[in-house]
């Protein structure tokens, strides 16, 4: 006797694995060859069920992973897997994770990988733009999302990378960094040197402009790195203030590139600034026994002898500029003229200023770089 074909309530024949349920819904069940598990799904109509079957067939043909672990994987978990594959400096890894935790983890990161569409990515970037985030920040996040999803494509978890598009239309465009003009530089240094409050910072300003050092290199500088006889500064390390799971504290870190390990010749002004800094440290009773890794006897320190914080540089620069502008506004009011105010200045401004002065004096830009 021939086996009777199964049908639904409308007499339509059902394929193998298809079922018509008493509640009026349709179901499909199959055995996943990769896991050996029985997997099924439902649909209110036969047409919708077969659309799901077609998608399943495409997935199986494309060898997409279909086990429950992959289906439940969130973007956060995907990012963790991606980071585990990368060989990074500890400081870089910490920066990436901090950026992710602050901006992605509790938003896009909670979505299932299989649910994310290009529109989700675009909306995420758009919301960051509206919140005032810079293009560089959104680009950094994109450079974490894109390769993570690309890894998912390579692992046959998804067909297409939803973060494929760029981010050129999102975020606040970067403001062109401007160096101080020669006049501004001269006025800033003169004001700082003559100030009874801020003159203690005069040597560090001379050194920052005259050497173009990064903030981390500057605060990590020890007297052992400075050869006063040969008038040379040896940059081999920098300090960063990070939490690597042991609380926030200073850590040694190699410069960003091999070219960052270098010897900087001292100008006469820089040499005299180091002499003055040594006097300041002596008068303040600074001890040089504070140690970070193998490094001690730091040059630019707080009263405790601990290296100054990276944020402290921008902080005292901000105080100097505000004090300067306040006096300038008062003088302009007395003299019935427009005030010539100092712009906002950061550690990078002074580095850029130093490089600009070198270029203006004819130094080859390759050497400056």
């Amino acid at each position: 006797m021939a086996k009777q074909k199964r049908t639904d309530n409308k007499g339509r024949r059902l394929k193998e694995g298809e079922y018509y349920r008493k509640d009026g819904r349709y179901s499909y069940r199959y055995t996943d060859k990769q896991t050996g598990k029985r997997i099924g799904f439902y649909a209110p109509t036969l047409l919708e069920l077969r659309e799901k079957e077609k998608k399943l067939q495409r997935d199986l043909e494309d060898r997409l992973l279909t086990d429950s672990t992959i289906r439940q994987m969130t973007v956060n978990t995907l990012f963790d897997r991606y980071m585990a594959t990368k060989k990074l400096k500890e400081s870089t890894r910490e920066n990436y994770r901090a950026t992710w935790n602050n901006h992605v983890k509790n938003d896009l990161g909670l979505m299932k990988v299989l649910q994310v569409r290009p529109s989700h990515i675009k909306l995420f970037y758009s919301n960051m733009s509206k919140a005032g985030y810079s293009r560089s920040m959104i680009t950094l996040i994109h450079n974490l999302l894109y390769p993570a999803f690309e890894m998912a494509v390579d692992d046959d978890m998804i067909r297409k990378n939803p973060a494929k598009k760029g981010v050129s239309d999102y975020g606040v465009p970067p403001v062109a960094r401007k160096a101080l003009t020669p006049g501004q530089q001269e006025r800033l240094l003169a004001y700082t040197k003559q100030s009874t409050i801020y003159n203690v910072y005069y040597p560090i300003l001379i050194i920052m402009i005259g050497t173009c050092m990064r903030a981390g290199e500057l605060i990590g500088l020890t007297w052992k790195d400075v050869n006063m006889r040969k008038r040379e500064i040896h940059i081999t390390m920098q300090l960063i203030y990070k939490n690597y799971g042991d609380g926030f504290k200073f850590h040694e870190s190699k410069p960003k590139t091999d070219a960052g390990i270098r010897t900087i010749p001292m100008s006469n002004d820089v040499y005299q600034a180091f002499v003055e800094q040594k006097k300041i440290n002596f008068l303040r009773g600074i001890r040089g026994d504070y140690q970070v890794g193998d490094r001690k006897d730091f040059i630019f320190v707080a009263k405790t002898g601990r290296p100054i914080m990276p944020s402290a540089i921008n902080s005292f620069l901000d105080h100097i500029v505000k004090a300067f502008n306040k006096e300038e506004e008062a003088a302009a009011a007395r003299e019935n003229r427009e005030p010539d105010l100092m712009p906002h200045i950061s550690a990078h401004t002074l580095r850029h200023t130093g490089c600009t002065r070198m270029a203006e004096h004819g130094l080859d830009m390759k050497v400056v770089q």
Side-chain angles (χ1 to χ4, degrees), residues 134-145:
S134 66
R135 184 167 298 168
S136 60
M137 173 57 72
I138 297 175
T139 299
L140 171 58
I141 292 172
H142 177 76
N143 290 340
L144 298 177
L145 283 170

Side-chain angles (χ1 to χ4, degrees), residues 12 17 20 38 42 72 95 121 180 182 191 197 202 234 248 258-259 290 293:
R12 292 177 294 192
Y20 179 72
R38 287 286 288 172
Y42 302 88
Q72 295 302 313
N95 284 336
I121 304 290
L180 296 177
Y191 174 81
I197 299 174
Y202 179 74
H234 303 284
F248 280 95
D258 291 339
Y290 188 93

Side-chain angles (χ1 to χ4, degrees), residues 226-264:
V226 178
N227 189 323
M228 298 295 282
R229 184 178 62 82
K230 292 184 177 181
R231 299 198 175 197
E232 292 178 342
I233 306 165
H234 303 284
I235 306 296
T236 59
M237 196 70 63
Q238 61 181 342
L239 285 190
I240 55 175
Y241 191 74
K242 294 286 184 182
N243 180 1
Y244 289 156
D246 52 357
F248 280 95
K249 62 181 183 180
F250 283 106
H251 297 269
E252 292 179 290
S253 177
K254 290 184 178 180
K256 290 184 176 180
T257 64
D258 291 339
I261 299 175
R262 62 201 189 278
T263 297
I264 303 174

